[in-house]
Amino acid sequence: MATKTRIILQMDPAEEILLRHKLNKDGEAQQFFTQEVRKFCDEYVPFDEGPLKNTARVGKNKITYIQPYSHYQYNGISKNGKPFNYQHAPKRGKYWDKRMWADRGREVVKSVADFVGGRAK
């Protein structure tokens, strides 16, 4: 005669699991990720005397470059339509977040995984 085995699995609510791993909405992991992106982007942001790079504001889920010329630097074209010349600092230049992510995105993912107690693939 076959016996039936009954298994009962009890789990914590999803919100509690996410909170335990700091993955709740706008939680510690999100803030850590945003700070890591800012830190890794620093060497890619155009730098003459430093205000663009040094006055960036880090929010919970965004980084705002507050200088009035930020938009022009990000797009690599000055107000008069001429492209900026970054030849003396080849890492620095337009679209710094996208270029940083292409170069160092895996490092950011690994540091966030370490922060939350997981592992990066």
Side-chain angles (χ1 to χ4, degrees):
M1 179 196 271
T3 57
K4 293 183 179 179
T5 303
R6 186 173 182 175
I7 298 173
I8 299 173
L9 178 63
Q10 290 183 313
M11 291 181 62
D12 292 333
E15 297 82 26
E16 193 175 308
I17 295 169
L18 292 171
L19 181 61
R20 190 168 43 241
H21 291 281
K22 305 171 189 165
L23 294 169
N24 51 317
K25 183 172 173 39
D26 293 334
E28 291 179 63
Q30 174 65 54
Q31 292 175 38
F32 181 80
F33 170 77
T34 307
Q35 291 169 355
E36 287 293 281
V37 168
R38 163 80 194 303
K39 179 177 79 176
F40 279 83
C41 275
D42 269 1
E43 63 186 276
Y44 293 84
V45 176
F47 185 93
D48 185 15
E49 295 178 11
L52 178 63
K53 179 179 84 71
N54 295 331
T55 60
R57 293 191 180 147
V58 179
K60 288 182 182 177
N61 58 10
K62 68 179 179 179
I63 303 164
T64 306
Y65 291 86
I66 63 169
Q67 295 302 317
Y69 54 87
S70 301
H71 171 77
Y72 298 105
Q73 287 283 355
Y74 185 77
N75 289 304
I77 298 176
S78 67
K79 287 182 184 181
N80 61 13
K82 294 183 180 178
F84 288 109
N85 181 353
Y86 303 108
Q87 69 183 11
H88 298 294
K91 270 191 177 180
R92 298 187 184 278
K94 64 182 180 177
Y95 308 124
W96 53 83
D97 57 334
K98 293 172 176 54
R99 292 182 304 100
M100 179 284 295
W101 192 258
D103 292 348
R104 303 192 64 192
R106 288 180 188 237
E107 292 175 67
V108 175
V109 170
K110 183 178 180 341
S111 68
V112 172
D114 292 344
F115 179 77
V116 299
R119 57 191 156 117
K121 287 191 173 193

